[in-house]
Amino acid sequence: MSLLSSFFDYAFMQRAALGCAAISVSAAPVGCFLTLRRMSLMGDAMSHAILPGVAVGFLVSGLSLGAMTVGGIVAGVIVAMLTGAVTRLTGQREDASLAAFYLISLALGVLLVSLRGSSVDLMHILFGSVLALDDGALRLLCATATVTLLVLALIWRPLVLECVDPGFLRLVSRWSGPVHFVFLGLVVVNLVAGFQALGTLMSVGMMILPGLAARFWSHRLGTMTVLAVLIGLASSAAGLLGSFHWGLPSGPAITLSAGAIYLISLIFGRAGGIVPRLRPGKHFHN
């Protein structure tokens, strides 16, 4: 009980736990769809793509939540549109053009922050400060979680169909294009909201790792989504406790906790883990 007492005794730990819970509820389901659509690396690329917008917001207004949030959303949308345009105009694969733009964005964002800010400001933007969340950041995280769940509920069926057979969805419905761009919007919004707590480089971990881990335990999307949220919550609690009791940096500690659960799932998960796949099958005799 003494290990968990920090969540009851300190207000900043309660705020950090609430913020991480909002990220888990919001980003983990989005990560499940990224995993099913084989777009996991896109989440990582978009987390870098928002950095120039965050940096511009920082240059204009300092560590202003509103300015950095708007800047991050605008930058993410621009990179997504440029990636699509390059793919259509040149025939280059989408993953290749996205990789080019995210590398450019990462370098540009770090350069912009370095022009005015200190190394402390740069570390704050890149790796977050979940133990110092203010009211504005908590409202943003909770609002993002609410909007994400509502939008996912509205587009759930066409989004699932697009994961299974996007060609069929394009044939029978005009929702294919809008659903794709709405989903990309959810990815960007969740990454922008998550950077307030975990930074631009760590927020994608809470989006991708729980979904990847959950897939080793179930092939049913509903079950996988619930498991991803639970894994996100468990990772957040473990990372926050490690940060409080042993002085670990909170963002990396949370992400590494999610990574540890992923490795355990990779080895022991009943839906494709290494050990169950190596286990001899049952033989039946007449």
Side-chain angles (χ1 to χ4, degrees), residues 101-276:
F101 281 117
Y102 100 73
L103 289 170
I104 294 170
S105 299
L106 176 61
L108 179 60
V110 172
L111 178 64
L112 288 174
V113 175
S114 301
L115 289 177
R116 176 178 168 183
S118 64
S119 59
V120 175
D121 295 324
L122 181 60
M123 293 293 288
H124 170 80
I125 292 174
L126 292 178
F127 300 106
S129 54
V130 67
L131 296 180
L133 293 178
D134 57 18
D135 291 340
L138 282 177
R139 283 194 293 266
L140 174 64
L141 291 171
C142 293
T144 300
T146 302
V147 171
T148 297
L149 293 178
L150 289 175
V151 172
L152 283 178
L154 290 173
I155 66 172
W156 183 273
R157 294 185 67 181
L159 192 57
V160 171
L161 185 56
E162 190 182 36
C163 292
V164 177
D165 193 344
F168 178 73
L169 180 62
R170 285 193 293 269
L171 287 174
V172 302
S173 174
R174 291 178 293 181
W175 281 100
S176 177
V179 164
H180 179 71
F181 285 106
V182 168
F183 177 71
L184 290 182
L186 289 180
V187 173
V188 172
V189 169
N190 275 274
L191 289 173
V192 171
F195 99 86
Q196 298 292 337
L198 301 175
T200 57
L201 298 185
M202 293 291 107
S203 60
V204 68
M206 285 298 290
M207 179 177 289
I208 301 299
L209 287 172
L212 290 175
R215 195 173 184 184
F216 284 110
W217 296 101
S218 176
H219 293 301
R220 298 177 62 88
L221 181 58
T223 303
M224 189 170 73
T225 302
V226 173
L227 286 174
V229 172
L230 294 176
I231 291 170
L233 293 173
S235 304
S236 299
L240 289 175
L241 289 173
S243 179
F244 180 83
H245 290 286
W246 295 289
L248 303 176
S250 53
I254 292 171
T255 305
L256 283 175
S257 297
I261 296 176
Y262 165 75
L263 292 176
I264 293 172
S265 303
L266 170 67
I267 297 171
F268 299 106
R270 64 182 183 181
I274 294 173
V275 171

